[in-house]
């Protein structure tokens, strides 16, 4: 089970150049952050960027945000799309194209945490890039980061998302705003 990202209000919605196709060397969920500095060298990839792990104080971050079509990989390597319709099971598979958007100051994002991240997300004042990883880590202390881009908690809310059942459920989610120090 993974976090679910909901883009509440974001600048990349209206600017094509702030939307990119990315390939990553690892499986990453939506909400993963990247540094983009070079094109992929795959012969099949034209204008596809290579995801790099961001520094903790990075000011230019991109975030994974692909449509949640779950890919089920069979033991023989065959990939089947859409058999599992629980968006909480979605992950961007390494080597597959990933939709990413540029984080811009004042973008508002909503995150529905996985069970594993629920406690940390509930107490988070900030989400900051974790050095050497494609992830944001929760920071409970109230002192804002002094360098780089980060997400500042705006508070809890409710989101209605599917989990593979016929009826969507109301679940706890958390709103964040993108800030730059």
């Amino acid at each position: 089970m993974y976090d679910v990202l909901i883009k509440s209000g974001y600048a990349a919605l209206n600017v094509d150049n702030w939307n990119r196709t990315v390939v990553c060397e690892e499986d990453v969920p939506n909400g993963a952050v990247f540094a983009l500095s070079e094109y992929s060298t795959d012969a099949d990839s034209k204008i596809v960027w290579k995801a790099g792990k961001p520094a903790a104080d990075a000011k230019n971050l991109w975030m994974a945000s692909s449509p949640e079509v779950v890919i089920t990989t069979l033991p023989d390597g065959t990939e089947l799309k859409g058999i599992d319709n629980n968006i909480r099971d979605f992950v961007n598979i390494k080597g597959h194209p990933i939709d990413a958007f540029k984080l811009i100051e004042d973008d508002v994002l909503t995150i529905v945490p996985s069970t594993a991240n629920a406690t940390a997300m509930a107490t988070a004042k900030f989400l900051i890039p974790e050095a050497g990883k494609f992830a944001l880590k929760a920071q409970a202390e109230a002192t804002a980061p002094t360098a780089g881009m980060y997400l500042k908690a705006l508070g809890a809310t409710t989101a209605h998302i599917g989990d593979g059942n016929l009826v969507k459920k109301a679940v706890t989610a958390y709103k964040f705003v993108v800030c730059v120090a």
Side-chain angles (χ1 to χ4, degrees), residues 136-152:
L136 293 168
K137 67 179 178 179
Q139 177 180 307
E141 61 188 66
T143 305
T146 57
M149 185 171 270
Y150 59 94
L151 279 64
K152 178 182 172 186

Side-chain angles (χ1 to χ4, degrees), residues 28-45:
V28 293
N30 279 344
V33 291
F34 314 111
L36 302 183
S37 59
E38 63 184 280
Y39 284 121
S40 169
T41 55
D42 288 346
D44 295 343
S45 301

